[in-house]
Amino acid sequence: EELARRLQDMEASGGLTSDFDGMNLESVGMSDEDAAALLAAQLEELDAGAAGPDPSVIAAQFAEYESQLNRDDAEQWNGHGDLMHSPFKREQLSLETMDKTTIYSVGHGDLLEKDFWEVLQCNSIRTLYDIRPTDYRGELYSRHQRFSVAALRMQCRTRGIFYKSMPIGRESAYGTLAHIKSDEGQHTLIELAWQAKRKRTAFLGREENWRDDPRQVVAEELRKVGHTVLHVRSDGGTEPHEEVTQYPDFLVREEERLRLLEKQRQAGELSRPTKSRLDRSSEAVALSLARPAEEIDAMDEMRGAANQKELVIAQRKLARYQRKADEYGAMAKKVLTSVPQWIHQDAREQAEWVAAKKKEKEDRDAGRDPHSAG
């Protein structure tokens, strides 16, 4: 070590060259063997420096670069249809790897139409995802007509807001907690994060208070992976999402309730709700008959579908409206206009299916085999 330090000092002062030319080895007290060993050590040092960084480190860096490039390619989307439609996007994109963003949460509750849009305007919302749960037919019923899917889509269009219905918690998926764990639920969250990265985005629930609404599950899933969720209050202000340690009972027991409901529906054991005496009064009946039927343009309904799934739901709903219009005639509450021929055909097929199900139930109640001849 002492010899190496002396040689290093001499090299720094210019008294030692890398090839040892003109060196007086005796002046530094070094034998030929020591000089050869020192030269070999220096050559090893040079070789190690020329080898560069660890190849495994370089390989890991390139893998990370390639992964990032793939994610960037997967995020290429025009905002229409479904972001996660291709296997490549499903492979590359996940909620955890998406850039962390701020996403807004809002519930309409019983707000007036004007107040609701003022709340969104206060927070400069430009994209609205409707995640309200749907029934077993895939349809959403709002207690206020102004917040129906058709009304919201039209109102958003007039205000330059992008609207998309992507329900989380529909009956066929057995509620919010079960649905959010599915691929479809996760894909909806990824779309939300994608939209929020580019425009101010909010997801819509039924209740004004997020603690009383299933949308708290969506907010919690986003929070877990690092996204910021701000709940919009009815006064236009916001509050940050708080960690949910225990979901309310109506969410925890929802899957069990919906599975039981599905079994009862399949077995034909669901009874129709009984109308109250007030609803069956002569005044109520007369008022119902005097009210003109609601006209629905079938082509407008189908044009309003944002994707294939919404189109299928719209077609099924239109066929049901047509079936009921055929059944009730002038007493029908909803009538279709601009009806294509295949909607009439679907309505007839629905009527035949309903009649067969009713016949099966009658035979079962009477103790007969519903599948026997005659």
Side-chain angles (χ1 to χ4, degrees):
E1 292 180 4
E2 179 64 25
L3 178 59
R5 186 162 49 251
R6 289 169 59 189
L7 286 172
Q8 192 174 22
D9 293 341
M10 291 181 65
E11 185 177 10
S13 62
L16 182 65
T17 61
S18 59
D19 58 359
F20 294 95
D21 287 342
M23 176 184 290
N24 186 350
L25 298 178
E26 293 181 359
S27 65
V28 295
M30 182 189 300
S31 65
D32 291 342
E33 292 80 2
D34 291 336
L38 179 61
L39 181 58
Q42 286 186 333
L43 289 174
E44 281 184 17
E45 234 178 82
L46 290 172
D47 290 341
D54 187 350
S56 62
V57 175
I58 295 179
Q61 289 177 342
F62 273 101
E64 178 60 29
Y65 295 152
E66 184 177 6
S67 178
Q68 183 59 52
L69 289 173
N70 286 338
R71 286 198 295 270
D72 291 342
D73 290 341
E75 285 194 33
Q76 297 301 315
W77 184 44
N78 62 5
H80 298 284
D82 293 325
L83 170 63
M84 305 294 284
H85 73 282
S86 71
F88 174 70
K89 291 177 181 290
R90 291 194 292 270
E91 179 184 353
Q92 297 297 329
L93 298 180
S94 68
L95 192 60
E96 293 78 9
T97 58
M98 297 289 286
D99 291 341
K100 306 313 174 193
T101 60
T102 297
I103 307 174
Y104 292 80
S105 151
V106 62
H108 58 73
D110 298 317
L111 288 173
L112 298 176
E113 181 179 330
K114 176 178 69 69
D115 295 336
F116 175 75
W117 294 109
E118 285 181 355
V119 163
L120 294 188
Q121 186 177 9
C122 285
N123 291 277
S124 303
I125 301 300
R126 306 310 305 161
T127 300
L128 185 65
Y129 267 56
D130 191 344
I131 63 165
R132 293 174 295 173
T134 55
D135 65 7
Y136 71 100
R137 291 177 295 217
E139 297 179 15
L140 188 149
Y141 291 95
S142 174
R143 59 179 179 261
H144 300 295
Q145 179 61 29
R146 59 184 176 273
F147 296 123
S148 67
V149 171
L152 282 176
R153 181 178 285 115
M154 181 182 66
Q155 293 164 13
C156 282
R157 188 182 297 125
T158 60
R159 290 170 171 83
I161 296 176
F162 176 79
Y163 172 86
K164 187 172 184 179
S165 176
M166 293 192 74
I168 292 183
R170 66 175 190 272
E171 282 193 28
S172 58
Y174 307 117
T176 305
L177 289 176
H179 195 186
I180 202 73
K181 298 174 185 176
S182 68
D183 289 343
E184 184 181 44
Q186 291 297 307
H187 293 171
T188 300
L189 298 181
I190 293 172
E191 266 201 38
L192 273 172
W194 187 95
Q195 294 282 10
K197 180 180 176 181
R198 291 155 179 82
K199 294 181 180 179
R200 284 215 172 188
T201 299
F203 53 93
L204 176 67
R206 296 181 187 274
E207 308 298 332
E208 287 183 46
N209 190 339
W210 65 269
R211 296 174 180 85
D212 301 328
D213 194 90
R215 75 178 186 274
Q216 63 182 282
V217 177
V218 173
E220 182 64 15
E221 289 295 311
L222 292 168
R223 183 204 65 81
K224 284 179 182 177
V225 295
H227 297 282
T228 300
V229 178
L230 297 178
H231 296 287
V232 181
R233 299 192 301 264
S234 57
D235 62 359
T238 61
E239 61 174 299
H241 177 73
E242 300 173 358
E243 180 181 359
V244 178
T245 56
Q246 178 64 41
Y247 287 117
D249 193 60
F250 77 89
L251 285 172
V252 174
R253 303 178 68 88
E254 187 178 28
E255 181 176 357
E256 178 185 355
R257 178 181 63 82
L258 292 177
R259 287 187 181 276
L260 177 61
L261 196 65
E262 182 183 54
K263 290 180 180 179
Q264 291 175 335
R265 184 177 290 111
Q266 291 174 347
E269 298 174 356
L270 281 180
S271 57
R272 299 185 65 177
T274 304
K275 292 186 178 181
S276 66
R277 181 178 299 178
L278 180 63
D279 291 333
R280 290 184 282 112
S281 67
S282 57
E283 292 83 357
V285 173
L287 182 63
S288 177
L289 292 175
R291 187 181 300 120
E294 177 187 355
E295 289 191 354
I296 299 173
D297 190 302
M299 299 308 295
D300 280 349
E301 285 287 316
M302 288 186 287
R303 279 193 291 267
N307 50 45
Q308 185 64 30
K309 187 183 301 180
E310 287 189 23
L311 182 60
V312 170
I313 293 173
Q315 292 171 352
R316 192 183 301 129
K317 179 176 66 175
L318 291 171
R320 190 174 77 257
Y321 288 165
Q322 186 60 46
R323 171 175 61 84
K324 291 191 174 183
D326 293 340
E327 181 180 352
Y328 295 112
M331 296 180 64
K333 295 181 179 179
K334 296 180 180 179
V335 294
L336 297 182
T337 61
S338 306
V339 188
Q341 186 58 39
W342 51 266
I343 290 290
H344 287 286
Q345 179 61 33
D346 287 350
R348 287 191 289 270
E349 292 176 0
Q350 276 192 17
E352 293 172 1
W353 183 87
V354 170
K357 286 295 181 181
K358 286 182 178 179
K359 181 68 166 54
E360 285 182 15
K361 186 176 185 304
E362 290 172 0
D363 291 344
R364 187 167 51 249
D365 293 343
R368 298 190 296 267
D369 182 0
H371 302 290
S372 63

